[in-house]
């Protein structure tokens, strides 16, 4: 089957023919992938920017961790998932036996074997996932919306970490899919205002506008940053979802006394921080990464009820054979979420 893979520890990906998974063992579930999203982290792995050295001993690995599809086989120990079910999957589903799993923090599992990073992912016609991470799609959620569940969960988790409360002023730095998901769940949590800033990001800010977020700033425009700082100063919560170290200084400057910044971007560089400002203004700095089981339940419920309001996040749909074109659209920020369709057209449903 065709698969988009990281082959070696240098920039680039390869789209090539690979063997299909032949056995489904233990608690694994085999899923025919119907839709899979290109994530910002996939671009980092493609570029081979800092932070992915853990993949070196595992290469080659098929990427793709934001997916939905149909169950076509289950391992002998699988009890809760049935062949034929329409599903999505938590890519870093817990092992259930390590210390973190046994002490009630499965999100910190030391053997999570994330699909699409540690084990072969969903940029292929078939993918294996752990039963513990497989979630059935509600009837009203189609495959492409199902493929949004993972990035939506990452945003929903960041909003939980931030403890967004009704009436608060929220700013999101970075208008990519995670920034968009944060905006959706901050509004759902009752934020009074949600402003979003991008950098030469018209297509992605347009997606936010389609979802009802009109307070946006393009920092690449002359005066854009001054405008943001003038109009959004005194924010209760700022999310850093751009992955640019320089953006953290803006985040701190925007915060009100005792405000909270939550970092979710994947930062390849180190940042320098004005710690005196952090102390005197009693600012909180938090990190959010990945998801928890309860986020999946929450997000699938949200998709079932508000899926059409969220669908504008998807701007491009391409067959897997055009994956590299999809990566280019995402890299140049001409696309928001690009969904790849791995099944031959006649079998897509
Ligand atoms: Zn992702
Ligand atoms: Zn574990």
């Amino acid at each position: 089957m065709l698969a988009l893979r990281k082959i070696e520890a240098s920039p680039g990906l390869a789209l090539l023919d690979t063997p299909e998974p032949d056995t489904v063992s233990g608690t694994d579930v085999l899923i025919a992938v119907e839709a899979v999203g290109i994530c910002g982290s996939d671009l980092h792995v493609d570029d081979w920017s800092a932070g992915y050295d853990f993949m070196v001993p595992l290469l080659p690995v098929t990427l793709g961790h934001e997916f939905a599809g149909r169950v076509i086989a289950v391992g002998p120990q699988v009890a809760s998932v049935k062949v034929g079910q329409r599903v999505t999957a938590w890519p870093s589903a817990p092992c259930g036996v390590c210390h973190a799993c046994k002490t009630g923090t499965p999100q910190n599992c030391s053997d999570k074997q994330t699909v699409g990073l540690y084990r072969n992912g969903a940029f292929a016609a078939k993918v294996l996932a752990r039963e513990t991470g497989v979630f059935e799609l509600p009837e009203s959620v189609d495959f492409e919306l199902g493929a949004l569940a993972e990035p939506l969960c990452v945003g929903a988790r960041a909003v939980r970490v931030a403890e967004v409360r009704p009436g608060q002023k929220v700013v999101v730095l970075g208008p990519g899919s995670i920034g968009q998901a944060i905006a959706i769940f901050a509004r759902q949590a009752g934020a009074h205002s949600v402003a979003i800033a991008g950098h030469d990001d018209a297509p992605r800010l347009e997606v936010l506008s389609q979802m009802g977020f009109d307070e946006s700033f393009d920092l690449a425009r002359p005066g854009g940053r001054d405008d943001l700082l003038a109009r959004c100063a005194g924010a209760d919560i700022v999310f850093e979802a751009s992955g640019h170290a320089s953006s953290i200084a803006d985040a701190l400057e925007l915060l009100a006394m005792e405000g909270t910044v939550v970092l979710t971007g994947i930062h390849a560089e180190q940042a320098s921080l004005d710690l005196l400002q952090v102390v005197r203004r009693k600012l909180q700095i938090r990190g959010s990464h990945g998801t928890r089981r309860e986020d999946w339940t929450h997000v699938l419920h949200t998709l079932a009820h508000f899926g059409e309001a969220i669908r504008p996040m998807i701007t491009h749909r391409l067959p897997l054979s055009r994956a590299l074109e999809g990566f280019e659209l995402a890299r140049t920020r001409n696309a928001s979420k690009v969904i790849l369709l791995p099944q031959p057209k006649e079998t897509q449903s």
Side-chain angles (χ1 to χ4, degrees), residues 186-210:
R187 179 168 64 187
Q188 193 186 70
H192 168 264
S193 59
V194 182
I196 298 115
H199 197 278
D200 192 15
D201 260 316
R204 303 196 295 182
L205 292 174
E206 170 58 26
V207 166
L208 282 152
S209 166
Q210 285 176 36

Side-chain angles (χ1 to χ4, degrees), residues 117-129:
L117 285 173
Y118 287 81
R119 57 193 271 178
N120 286 331
F123 290 141
K126 295 176 186 175
V127 65
L128 285 166

Side-chain angles (χ1 to χ4, degrees), residues 2 40 51 70 103 107 118 128 141-142 165 184 193 219 230 234 255 268 271 281 284 299 318 321 341:
L2 198 62
R70 205 179 285 279
T103 52
Q107 68 274 14
Y118 287 81
L128 285 166
V141 177
D142 58 23
R165 294 194 306 274
I184 290 167
S193 59
L219 305 185
L255 284 175
R281 295 174 52 223
Q284 307 297 303
V299 162
L318 295 172
S321 56
L341 307 165

Side-chain angles (χ1 to χ4, degrees), residues 171-321:
V171 178
V172 184
L173 303 176
S177 296
I178 301 306
Q180 293 169 12
I182 288 168
I184 290 167
F185 289 101
R187 179 168 64 187
Q188 193 186 70
H192 168 264
S193 59
V194 182
I196 298 115
H199 197 278
D200 192 15
D201 260 316
R204 303 196 295 182
L205 292 174
E206 170 58 26
V207 166
L208 282 152
S209 166
Q210 285 176 36
M211 295 195 293
F213 299 98
D214 290 320
E215 198 182 354
S216 66
F217 300 85
D218 201 327
L219 305 185
R221 292 207 180 131
R225 182 171 174 275
D226 292 344
D227 208 19
L228 170 73
L229 294 175
R231 285 180 37 204
C232 296
D236 299 294
I237 316 262
V238 178
F239 292 91
E240 201 310 296
S242 76
H244 293 293
S246 58
S247 166
I248 295 171
D250 288 347
L252 296 183
E253 201 166 328
L254 283 163
L255 284 175
M257 292 280 276
E258 299 195 1
T260 300
V261 58
V262 174
L263 311 178
T264 67
I266 300 296
H267 288 259
E269 312 153 36
Q270 305 225 330
S272 80
L273 296 181
D274 181 354
L275 294 177
L276 183 62
Q277 194 190 171
V278 173
V279 173
R280 283 200 175 139
R281 295 174 52 223
K282 297 166 278 188
L283 306 178
Q284 307 297 303
I285 301 176
R286 299 180 187 174
S288 182
H289 185 244
T291 65
R292 295 189 188 179
R293 175 167 296 283
E294 62 258 38
D295 301 323
W296 289 80
T297 320
H298 174 197
V299 162
L300 288 172
H301 183 82
T302 301
L303 276 171
H305 291 87
F306 308 103
E308 292 318 311
I310 293 171
R311 199 184 297 277
M313 284 178 70
I314 302 170
T315 56
H316 293 73
R317 298 154 180 90
L318 295 172
L320 179 63
S321 56

Side-chain angles (χ1 to χ4, degrees), residues 39 41 65-66 150:
C39 171
S41 68
H65 59 269
E66 305 177 353
E150 199 273 344

Side-chain angles (χ1 to χ4, degrees), residues 94-98 101 109-111:
C95 73
V97 294
C98 74
C101 283
C109 174
S110 60
D111 187 27

Side-chain angles (χ1 to χ4, degrees), residues 77-97:
Q77 290 162 39
V78 170
S80 66
V81 179
K82 306 253 171 310
V83 169
Q85 275 182 322
R86 299 164 61 256
V87 298
T88 182
W90 180 10
S92 40
C95 73
V97 294

